Amino acid sequence: MSSNKTNKRLLDWAFKLSLVTIFYNLIEGGLSTFYGAEDETLALFGFGVDSFVEVISGLGIVHMVWRMKSHSIESRDKFERAALKITGSAFYLLVLGLIVGAVINIYVGAKPHTTKVGAIIALFSIATMYFLYKAKIKVGEKLNSAPIISDAHCTKTCFYLSFILLGSALIYEIFRVPYVDALGSLGIAWYALKEGKEAFEKARTNALGCTDCCS
């Protein structure tokens, strides 16, 4: 198989992985925000909003990979930079909302009805994000593509984020530790802050770090 055909096949797979990431985050975000509000668990609700923000970021990645399929790219276009800026702004708003929500919940002594659904969603997310991370890393390394590898590391961050949700959900459900849900939401806020900062940094940096590897 020629190098061009191999690259085309790998880019097709990268494109499909990007679409799977978007659709999974849409489903995860819908379930998490619904049950987060229903069960009054701020950590799960914040996790769901984070998933929706990841969808915006994912649209930029899909667009980027689609361009890679047509020709070599060396910089982000206007759509990708706009997606990153919107993503960064949304993450910062999420951080603010989670901090305010956590403070209020701690002050009034609010507790979730249950965190079982959060634990279940976290387990599914851990399995899915691990698969997506390994698959994206494999494709990115074969293509020697810095943008795809960077996207894989964003997926790895979601993988770690799922462990925060799982930990807070299990600790509360088993031991009924006060405020652990609020603390879990603050852990999610910390990761969201990092992701927001990284999104703005990427938007300011036009170069992708990938020149002739994505043709």
Side-chain angles (χ1 to χ4, degrees), residues 153-168:
H153 285 296
C154 289
T155 301
K156 190 177 182 180
T157 298
C158 297
F159 175 71
Y160 291 145
L161 200 64
S162 303
F163 278 102
I164 293 178
L165 176 63
L166 179 63
S168 65

Side-chain angles (χ1 to χ4, degrees), residues 40 57-58 88 102 104 107 110 189:
E40 297 185 7
S57 175
I104 292 174
Y107 180 76

Side-chain angles (χ1 to χ4, degrees), residues 24-25 28-29 32 44 47 50-51 54 117-133 155-166:
Y24 178 80
N25 277 318
E28 181 181 80
S32 297
L44 180 57
F47 185 80
D50 182 275
S51 297
E54 294 290 353
V117 176
I120 293 170
I121 289 175
L123 287 171
F124 273 103
S125 182
I126 288 168
T128 304
M129 292 303 155
Y130 180 77
F131 162 75
L132 288 172
Y133 166 69
T155 301
K156 190 177 182 180
T157 298
C158 297
F159 175 71
Y160 291 145
L161 200 64
S162 303
F163 278 102
I164 293 178
L165 176 63
L166 179 63

Side-chain angles (χ1 to χ4, degrees), residues 74-76 202 205-210:
E74 297 183 12
S75 62
R76 295 182 176 88
K202 289 177 181 178
T205 306
N206 219 14
L208 289 167
C210 178

